[in-house]
Amino acid sequence: MKRDNPILRVRDLKVGYEVPGDLIVPVDGVSFDLNPREVVGLVGDAGSGKSTTALALMGMARPPGKILGGKVEFDGRDLLTLPEAEIRAIRGRDIGIIVQNPRAALNPMLRVGRQIGHAYRAHNDVTAAAARMQAVEMLRFVGINDPERRVEAYAHELSGGMAQRALIAMALSSAPRLLIADEPTSGLDVTIQAQFLDEMWQTVQKTGSAMLLVSQELGVIANFCDRVLVLHKGRIVEDAPVRKFFAEPQHPYSKEVLRFYQERASGFPLQVSGKPGFLQTKQLTKHFPLRGSDKVVQAVDKVTISVAKGEAVGLVGESGSGKTTVGRCLMRLEHPTAGAVTLDGQDITELGATEMRRMRSRMQIVFQDPFDSVNPRWTVANILDEPLRVHEGGNKAARKQRAVDALKQVDLDPSMMMAKPRDLGASTLQRVNIARALICNPDFVVLDEPTSVLAPRARNSLIALLARLQKELGISYLFISHDLTTVRYLCQRVAVMYLGQIVEEGSVEQVFTAPQHPYSKALLSAHLMPDPTRRRVDNPALAALEGEIPSPIDVPKGCYLASRCPHVVDNCRANLQVLTDLGDDRAVRCERVVNKEITNENAAAHD
């Protein structure tokens, strides 16, 4: 690859933060080039300076940070010396940026379509109507179904994955020549992640643009990057082609990164022999009324799930497939439209408010975002004391000791009892949330994407903790996740959801080694392994499903996957598919599979 005339040329970039009596320099002399048609990965542990570097390339630093020196040349102009008006014109038009936290980046008071339209109109002389049309097209491009409706949504009405895709749509709206993507696929399910990265890689090759891809996910780096920059303690310690980096890392820190982050699945969890059907749903259905219409959003469609005592069942599928709604219905945070939810033989959908409050001591939930899950003004002691006061009472001293024991159980130091959420990192606070969920000794816990906002090192540690707690306490989990590697490690069984339906269910070993449903196969083939010898960009056969997910408002008459399935025939479009028992404790929703018209020749290529 030619190294002359780079799009971006960075030399000796330094960013510092003044603190009383000291100067912290998280970026200390970073230098690299970014060439046309090149995707460069920037990796490093949490706190290594990756995000600070990404912002500094745009001439920005989070207060009270300041750019202390260096050059950032874009098309021959040093961005750090340009007047503010000139650099503002470049941002968004020529250089786009995608940040990691969509909740913080999106304006909660403006509809999503209006925000995308504002970004587009800032650099393009178009009408408001044309900007809205561009917003719809960009939401469609990033895989959001029913984009005409979603442009009218506010950020809080979108799932975390959809909010992230809205940010991606905003960044790409003006077709920038350089894209700085800071953990752009964090919180996205694997199919949408693969689809977005496929499109971006192809765009870079076709247009001669470039992308700096900041990520801690080595699967993403291995599959889509040409070069790897390793950032450690504010400096680039290694700059190597992707294949050489994975095969022969040179710097000791690079070797540590590969040793720690490359997840190599070995075997599957042992099966559980506890009471079957300890937690069970039967034909669970949830519809949400649509504002200003007599139509409904079909979020969950006749879902039947069974979790044995002491078993972990994974629930996987694309963003918007209904996974979180299932979890909320199990907890009665949403009341089902139809169907039953039983725990240890008792149907909780029939319980009154008082009875349900008592039942919640046996059923708990851990949410995706640890900071959204707690009162920011409470201390850790307050957070852990609340469930004990509500469900058990007792004297204050006894409750305090229970809180201390709960922190120790999740490997936290009781000295943090007086800390507030803002004083804690995401990983530590999520452990506090787990301690809160377990403090009343529940029988069943819903884990709704509990690791999606964590760095890989913290994620691996938290999953190991959850596995240990399940074994020690004998509790049951419903583990909702788009992280297939984690599901394979933690869960004994897995259910695959698509557009509100379960399309396949079986043991983790069955589904991961020999998926039957076409959607399950696509989901597994989109999973990115940290192996550059099997790069996704070099294997067109691993492409994600084409087309859009049908709208949950006007669902298809027949198979919900028919418009995207490579094996579709006329009967698929005409006949509603039924989840059918295949024997050996396995079920699939595809009559062509049941009738053996589709073989397993395309089983997961990344197994």
Side-chain angles (χ1 to χ4, degrees), residues 217-452:
E217 300 294 342
L218 289 192
V220 170
I221 299 296
N223 280 268
F224 291 96
C225 293
D226 302 297
R227 284 172 37 234
V228 181
L229 306 175
V230 181
L231 191 62
H232 181 53
K233 295 182 178 180
R235 293 178 174 272
I236 301 293
V237 297
E238 186 155 353
D239 181 346
V242 65
R243 290 178 186 270
K244 184 176 180 180
F245 170 73
F246 278 86
E248 300 175 1
Q250 300 299 305
H251 195 273
Y253 178 72
S254 301
K255 296 176 182 179
E256 173 65 16
V257 167
L258 285 172
R259 183 169 65 249
F260 190 87
Y261 289 128
Q262 279 187 304
E263 300 167 326
R264 302 183 185 279
S266 56
F268 295 91
L270 297 176
Q271 295 303 299
V272 172
S273 58
K275 177 183 177 182
F278 180 71
L279 182 287
Q280 193 165 18
T281 72
K282 293 183 178 179
Q283 301 292 298
L284 180 66
T285 301
K286 179 61 181 178
H287 296 162
F288 292 99
L290 198 62
R291 287 180 303 192
S293 172
D294 58 356
K295 293 185 176 182
V296 298
V297 176
Q298 182 177 287
V300 179
D301 181 20
K302 299 181 180 65
V303 165
T304 296
I305 294 176
S306 178
V307 184
K309 181 68 174 174
E311 182 180 44
V313 173
L315 188 60
V316 302
E318 290 175 284
S319 182
S321 62
K323 306 186 301 295
T324 292
T325 304
V326 168
R328 292 179 64 85
C329 286
L330 296 187
M331 296 297 301
R332 274 277 298 274
L333 299 176
E334 301 285 355
H335 196 86
T337 303
V341 179
T342 60
L343 179 70
D344 204 13
Q346 185 170 18
D347 188 349
I348 69 168
T349 62
E350 298 178 350
L351 299 181
T354 302
E355 294 172 306
M356 189 62 217
R357 173 173 287 191
R358 287 196 294 266
M359 177 61 78
R360 283 209 174 99
S361 67
R362 301 184 63 189
M363 308 175 67
Q364 288 292 310
I365 186 168
V366 177
F367 295 100
Q368 179 176 3
D369 191 321
F371 292 96
D372 285 349
S373 306
V374 295
N375 187 326
R377 291 183 290 272
W378 282 10
T379 64
V380 170
N382 297 142
I383 293 168
L384 296 179
D385 187 59
E386 183 192 31
L388 293 174
R389 284 190 293 104
V390 170
H391 295 298
E392 297 185 13
N395 66 71
K396 189 174 182 179
R399 295 201 306 268
K400 181 178 180 180
Q401 185 57 51
R402 289 275 295 277
V404 168
D405 294 340
L407 288 178
K408 292 179 179 177
Q409 190 175 50
V410 296
D411 300 331
L412 293 180
D413 194 318
S415 64
M416 68 174 56
M417 288 281 279
M418 299 313 296
K420 292 186 176 180
R422 66 173 179 268
D423 303 320
L424 307 175
S427 174
T428 300
L429 187 56
Q430 195 66 301
R431 286 175 182 257
V432 171
N433 286 326
I434 293 170
R436 178 180 60 179
L438 299 180
I439 201 166
C440 289
N441 301 313
D443 299 303
F444 173 75
V445 178
V446 174
L447 299 163
D448 187 4
E449 301 273 14
T451 64
S452 66

Side-chain angles (χ1 to χ4, degrees), residues 17-24 64:
Y17 292 85
E18 291 185 0
V19 297
D22 197 6
L23 177 66
I24 299 174

Side-chain angles (χ1 to χ4, degrees), residues 20-36:
D22 197 6
L23 177 66
I24 299 174
V25 184
V27 177
D28 189 11
V30 165
S31 300
F32 64 91
D33 291 346
L34 191 55
N35 301 292

